[in-house]
Amino acid sequence: MATFTGLAERRPLGDNAKAWALNAPAIVVIALLVAYPIGYSFYVSLQKNNLKRPRAKRFIGFDNYASLFSDQAFLNALKVSALFVVVVLGLTVVLALILALVLNERFHGRGLLLSLALLPWAMPGVVNGLMWRTIFDAKTGALNGLLQQLGLIDSYHAWLTSGTGAFLFTASAQVWNTLPFSVIILLAGLSTIPSELYDAATVDRAGAWRRFTQVTVPWLLHPLLIVLILETMNAFRAFDTIYVLTGGGPRRRDHDDRPPGRPDRPHLHRLRPGQRLRLGDHRDHPADLHRLHRPPLPEREFRSMSTLVRAPLRYRIPWKQILLYVLAVAFGLYLVLPFYWIVAMSFMHEVDAISVPPHWIPTHPTLANYLGFVRPNAAQELVGGRAVSETPYSLRNSLVVATATAVLNLALATFAAYSFSRLKFRGSQVLLVLYLLTRMVPGIAIIIPFYLLMRSFGLLDTYLALILSYTTFALPITIWILKDFFRSVPRELEEAARVDRCGWFRTMWTVFLPVAAPGLVAAAVFAFMTAWNEFMFALFLTSTKAAKTIPVVAANFATDFNTQFTVMAAAGVLAVVPPLVLALLFQRKLVQGMAAGSVKG
């Protein structure tokens, strides 16, 4: 009886209790740092508040909402925001799909193009705005200089002064900045398409367009859905690029043709004699092309074909390769030229940077713009402001906060994602949707109650306030990425560990997590990038160099009229280097992690 009692006491938790226990830390963070601010904002919105008399407030119901939707300025802003999302979303999806298709091919320079595709992702939105601001500048901008030297315009234009111009150029800057993540997701989806499907379509005499519409597109439906959701969120939450750029409105090929990461699949010549193959028979593929089995050719037709084989071969122009390289070069220039401009400016003297026409290559390269960051006194003489002297501290702060955010996100998301991938429990789908919905909340909607919450705990101008806020942004997508990747880990590994009497934590640490390394890397890089690039919360929650991050300091360059363009460009380059190095080091694991994770449904 005692033995039975001991066994009963050591009986493991049921799936429901275990799953909710694994999700508890993430739920607490989301509830405290997202749900509470949302609820507080809604509560305040139902009252009439007098800033001069804070205690003189009264409940007025939905009157504030009624007056808001009767405000023409708000309605215009809402319309412009919706149009901005549509334009950015359309351009991003089209460009990301084309670039992913190009990167899915084998050609010389593919690795270089993939590296260049990660460049915009490593750039904080504030730096992105500063870069495009120097390009679109009405007096010394690179765009004006280039168009004038090509004979396309006679004089310099103020591109950002009109509403339409500011809208279009801001949308183009946002697309350039958010394109890489969509490319990675779509490229990961392309790498999972079975190669025999394309072979079968070719045998069935399907042209390139038919292979694309009936093989590629059906397989990419889920990745495309992810891109649409994420890019819609990003476009609605866009603040930093718009803030810096416009101030919120107009300014007055080898042997194996499969790409890396594509799993090996049985080839058509391994089919049994007489075996038929339908593309739609693949249980994971929704397409159903015409039956590929054809009757044997008559002997006369075989003879006629043999004479064709012996006939002299005619030279055929490799149009596919030509188009492939044209697109690769075009995308490479599109990705690298804007960044090249601020790199070149960072090595120029100010007089060369503002010359008309522009100097595309530094005539007298100098390191003075970078040395100013390590010699504050010289920096003050150069720019007359404090943004330069705060840059080294902000780089340190961003590195600490982004690393801590990535670690905390992995710790919380690993437990939650494991519950979704291995356990069946009630409310799992609802909980997952609630996680993702928190990502759709614009930061501006919760920034004030979040600020008050951090003030009440005495956390203003501290690393912890930033780490907690950034965790709420990255956690939902991190859980989503890891959830499906964990499903790809064989259950037999855990069962074998249990046979060896390994506990759950030991199994996770020594068996499960090492196998899931690509997914963990992809999730960690995403969380790091999210924290590194975030601007709004850092702007509100920090006030001194003890906690200011690089996006906040970079934004100060835009508001300091004494700042030189060359020093501002050097600060932008320094802000891009750490996340860019991280992305380049782990680019292969990024694609692998996305292919086994966020691409699967």
Side-chain angles (χ1 to χ4, degrees):
M1 186 68 179
T3 302
F4 175 79
T5 304
L7 289 174
E9 292 174 351
R10 294 192 299 268
R11 187 177 62 184
L13 294 173
D15 282 358
N16 273 316
K18 186 176 182 179
W20 286 101
L22 292 174
N23 278 280
I27 293 175
V28 170
V29 169
I30 296 295
L32 180 62
L33 303 180
V34 179
Y36 170 77
I38 293 176
Y40 182 83
S41 296
F42 179 72
Y43 168 75
V44 172
S45 70
L46 301 179
Q47 299 177 349
K48 183 176 181 179
N49 291 273
N50 190 332
L51 296 180
K52 295 181 179 180
R53 301 170 60 190
R55 297 184 179 181
K57 54 184 179 180
R58 58 189 180 88
F59 179 80
I60 60 173
F62 292 94
D63 289 353
N64 288 326
Y65 292 93
S67 60
L68 188 64
F69 281 97
S70 62
D71 187 353
Q72 192 61 39
F74 172 78
L75 296 178
N76 289 336
L78 193 62
K79 181 177 67 175
V80 172
S81 297
L83 184 60
F84 181 82
V85 171
V86 172
V87 172
V88 170
L89 187 61
L91 290 174
T92 302
V93 171
V94 172
L95 292 177
L97 182 57
I98 297 175
L99 182 53
L101 290 171
V102 172
L103 289 171
N104 195 48
E105 301 291 334
R106 303 284 287 183
F107 59 93
H108 295 293
R110 177 184 179 274
L112 176 60
L113 182 59
L114 180 58
S115 299
L116 293 178
L118 297 174
L119 175 58
W121 191 27
M123 184 173 291
V126 170
V127 178
N128 180 57
L130 292 174
M131 178 186 71
W132 288 103
R133 180 176 171 181
T134 62
I135 294 175
F136 297 144
D137 190 81
K139 297 180 179 179
T140 62
L143 179 61
N144 277 316
L146 178 62
L147 294 179
Q148 189 178 58
Q149 289 180 340
L150 293 176
L152 298 178
I153 60 175
D154 297 327
S155 60
Y156 278 27
H157 291 274
W159 305 105
L160 300 176
T161 55
S162 68
T164 302
F167 178 88
L168 293 178
F169 285 107
T170 304
S172 66
Q174 179 71 12
V175 170
W176 188 88
N177 194 213
T178 60
L179 183 65
F181 192 64
S182 299
V183 172
I184 294 174
I185 293 177
L186 295 179
L187 179 59
L190 289 170
S191 69
T192 62
I193 301 179
S195 58
E196 70 269 15
L197 296 180
Y198 290 111
D199 297 335
T202 301
V203 172
D204 203 36
R205 301 178 182 178
W209 179 251
R210 186 179 171 195
R211 293 197 300 270
F212 174 73
T213 58
Q214 299 191 27
V215 178
T216 304
V217 171
W219 269 83
L220 287 182
L221 289 179
H222 190 261
L224 282 171
L225 178 62
I226 294 177
V227 168
L228 289 173
I229 294 174
L230 293 182
E231 291 302 333
T232 301
M233 295 178 185
N234 291 334
F236 264 119
R237 296 165 59 96
F239 172 75
D240 37 13
T241 297
I242 300 175
Y243 171 79
V244 175
L245 186 57
T246 68
R251 285 189 184 277
R252 314 205 164 209
R253 220 245 223 224
D254 47 270
H255 180 69
D256 188 0
D257 287 336
R258 298 188 307 272
R262 174 173 291 178
D264 291 328
R265 301 284 185 168
H267 295 284
L268 291 176
H269 67 268
R270 298 180 186 174
L271 296 176
R272 300 187 300 274
Q275 182 179 354
R276 300 179 179 180
L277 175 65
R278 287 176 177 264
L279 297 187
D281 288 343
H282 196 285
R283 64 193 180 114
D284 292 323
H285 199 280
D288 189 11
L289 299 182
H290 294 296
R291 180 166 53 91
L292 299 178
H293 175 73
R294 298 182 180 275
L297 296 173
E299 183 179 356
R300 181 178 300 176
E301 189 169 346
F302 268 121
R303 290 177 179 175
S304 62
M305 292 180 65
S306 64
T307 59
L308 290 175
V309 172
R310 290 195 300 268
L313 296 176
R314 294 183 178 181
Y315 177 75
R316 299 182 62 184
I317 301 177
W319 293 112
K320 179 181 177 181
Q321 290 299 314
I322 293 176
L323 178 61
L324 181 64
Y325 279 100
V326 168
L327 290 174
V329 171
F331 273 109
L333 294 175
Y334 168 72
L335 294 167
V336 76
L337 285 183
F339 184 65
Y340 166 79
W341 177 240
I342 64 168
V343 173
M345 286 182 61
S346 69
F347 291 101
M348 292 181 183
H349 294 280
E350 185 70 11
V351 63
D352 294 330
I354 62 176
S355 64
V356 178
H359 291 217
W360 303 111
I361 300 176
T363 55
H364 304 286
T366 178
L367 293 175
N369 302 313
Y370 290 97
L371 294 177
F373 295 108
V374 295
R375 295 187 301 180
N377 294 331
Q380 295 292 333
E381 295 175 1
L382 279 173
V383 299
R386 65 178 185 178
V388 173
S389 61
E390 291 181 343
T391 299
Y393 299 97
S394 66
L395 288 171
R396 178 202 63 191
N397 297 337
S398 288
L399 189 60
V400 172
V401 171
T403 303
T405 300
V407 173
L408 180 58
N409 262 271
L410 280 186
L412 296 174
T414 297
F415 292 123
Y418 183 88
S419 69
F420 289 109
S421 63
R422 285 294 192 261
L423 305 174
K424 295 181 179 180
F425 63 99
R426 297 175 183 174
S428 59
Q429 294 302 316
V430 175
L431 181 59
L432 182 60
V433 170
L434 290 176
Y435 279 146
L436 296 177
L437 285 177
T438 62
R439 173 66 182 175
M440 302 183 68
V441 179
I444 195 67
I446 63 173
I447 184 62
I448 294 178
F450 193 92
Y451 173 88
L452 297 175
L453 182 64
M454 293 297 104
R455 189 182 66 177
S456 64
F457 286 106
L459 295 178
L460 291 180
D461 204 33
T462 64
Y463 287 162
L464 185 57
L466 297 178
I467 294 170
L468 292 175
S469 62
Y470 296 170
T471 298
T472 63
F473 306 147
L475 187 57
I477 307 301
T478 308
I479 294 174
W480 195 3
I481 293 173
L482 292 178
K483 170 182 66 72
D484 289 312
F485 190 92
F486 285 175
R487 289 178 180 174
S488 67
V489 178
R491 291 179 178 267
E492 291 78 8
L493 296 176
E494 296 175 82
E495 294 172 355
R498 293 192 187 98
V499 172
D500 291 339
R501 298 181 179 180
C502 290
W504 185 82
F505 282 102
R506 184 180 176 185
T507 301
M508 285 286 293
W509 185 255
T510 62
V511 177
F512 189 86
L513 295 181
V515 178
L520 295 173
V521 169
V525 171
F526 171 82
F528 184 94
M529 295 291 196
T530 301
W532 184 275
N533 296 339
E534 206 283 328
F535 168 65
M536 182 189 297
F537 276 72
L539 179 64
F540 277 82
L541 299 177
T542 63
S543 57
T544 69
K545 64 183 181 181
K548 279 186 180 180
T549 57
I550 188 62
V552 176
V553 174
N556 291 338
F557 285 101
T559 57
D560 189 345
F561 294 100
N562 295 318
T563 300
Q564 299 176 2
F565 280 157
T566 53
V567 178
M568 184 172 63
V573 174
L574 292 176
V576 174
V577 169
L580 180 60
V581 171
L582 182 68
L584 293 178
L585 287 176
F586 297 105
Q587 61 175 297
R588 186 178 297 274
K589 289 189 179 295
L590 272 173
V591 177
Q592 292 175 353
M594 294 297 180
S598 62
V599 173
K600 295 184 179 180

